[in-house]
Amino acid sequence: MYDPTVARLTYRALLGRRRALILGALPLLLIVISVVVRALAGADDQTAVDVLGGFGLATMVPIIGVIAGTGAIGPEIDDGSVVYLLSKPLKRPTIIFTKLIVAVGVTMVFSAVPMLISGLILNGNGQQIAVAYTVAALVASIAYAALFLLLGTVSRHAVVFGLVYALVWEALFGSLVAGARTLSVQQWSLAVAHKVSGGELVTSDVGLTTATVFLVAVTVGATWYAGQKLRSLTLAGEE
């Protein structure tokens, strides 16, 4: 289910100079904000939650997921180079699964690592806040990568749709409409973070059991459907 050659090509595409600069911009900004906030406000648990949750988990992680998830396959479909990949004796689910692993890895590195660093800067991991949000970023990275990899497979406008979901559905509707929060990767990952922190500062509108079911369902379902769409793309090309 994992092909090293496909992985190497995908890593090369995602971590090219231009894309790497984009991927690194938001994590760097989060760390800079954390340093400034710590210098101005000192160590404060609520401030740490506000920064890590309000910017880190709500904005940085989904945007990085969009870039990594759609970038793992979208450009190859757009420029037609995916045809060369599909001509190889590889199962289509293997291609998708390999690209998912790469997208998850890239998203985790560029989101969870700076989240931990920022949390330590903000309050030294008081009340396990830094670790809780790091775990939330790790969990969210898996679901976001699968979801946006699917978008990259089915649409040429995957980045736009991904940003609409991340910034409009989760950030806007998620803050205004209670029902929308149930269908939010952010809230699912916050449920895990709440369990890790064991306190009341990190909260979620979704229970841990529900969040776990949704996280698994979205990840597995999106990965499976992306494999089916890639198989259909192959058949269309052959016809």
Side-chain angles (χ1 to χ4, degrees):
M1 291 298 292
Y2 180 85
D3 186 82
T5 301
V6 174
R8 184 174 65 254
L9 293 174
T10 306
Y11 274 119
R12 186 180 301 173
L14 285 179
L15 299 178
R17 181 177 300 178
R18 180 181 177 183
R19 200 177 296 273
L21 289 174
I22 298 174
L23 284 169
L26 285 175
L28 179 60
L29 179 59
L30 175 63
I31 292 174
V32 170
I33 291 174
S34 300
V35 171
V36 172
V37 169
R38 176 61 186 266
L40 295 177
D44 180 76
D45 294 342
Q46 184 60 57
T47 300
V49 169
D50 293 340
V51 174
L52 297 179
F55 180 76
L57 194 61
T59 302
M60 181 190 74
V61 179
I63 290 180
I64 291 175
V66 169
I67 296 171
T70 61
I73 195 170
E76 293 177 318
I77 294 178
D78 291 342
D79 63 19
S81 62
V82 71
V83 173
Y84 298 99
L85 181 60
L86 297 178
S87 67
K88 304 299 181 183
L90 292 171
K91 294 181 179 179
R92 305 308 174 245
T94 297
I95 296 174
I96 289 296
F97 184 75
T98 301
K99 287 183 173 293
L100 174 64
I101 294 299
V102 173
V104 168
V106 170
T107 306
M108 284 182 171
V109 169
F110 282 92
S111 60
V113 173
M115 190 79 80
L116 178 60
I117 294 173
S118 297
L120 294 175
I121 292 172
L122 287 165
N123 77 331
N125 195 38
Q127 298 196 51
Q128 294 292 305
I129 290 174
V131 171
Y133 275 99
T134 299
V135 172
L138 291 171
V139 170
S141 294
I142 300 173
Y144 280 133
L147 183 61
F148 298 135
L149 178 64
L150 171 60
L151 283 178
T153 306
V154 302
S155 174
R156 292 181 178 272
H157 306 289
V159 174
V160 175
F161 290 138
L163 291 175
V164 167
Y165 172 80
L167 301 180
V168 177
W169 177 264
E170 291 208 345
L172 180 59
F173 284 96
S175 62
L176 299 176
V177 183
R181 298 168 192 162
T182 305
L183 301 177
S184 167
V185 175
Q186 177 187 345
Q187 291 298 323
W188 304 339
S189 59
L190 279 174
V192 179
H194 172 70
K195 179 65 175 180
V196 173
S197 68
E200 298 302 322
L201 284 175
V202 182
T203 60
S204 173
D205 294 321
V206 181
L208 180 61
T209 301
T210 301
T212 302
V213 171
F214 274 120
L215 284 167
V216 173
V218 166
T219 302
V220 174
T223 304
W224 174 83
Y225 191 61
Q228 297 304 305
K229 294 301 293 183
L230 193 61
R231 181 175 291 136
S232 300
L233 179 65
T234 305
L235 294 174
E238 291 173 351
E239 293 173 355

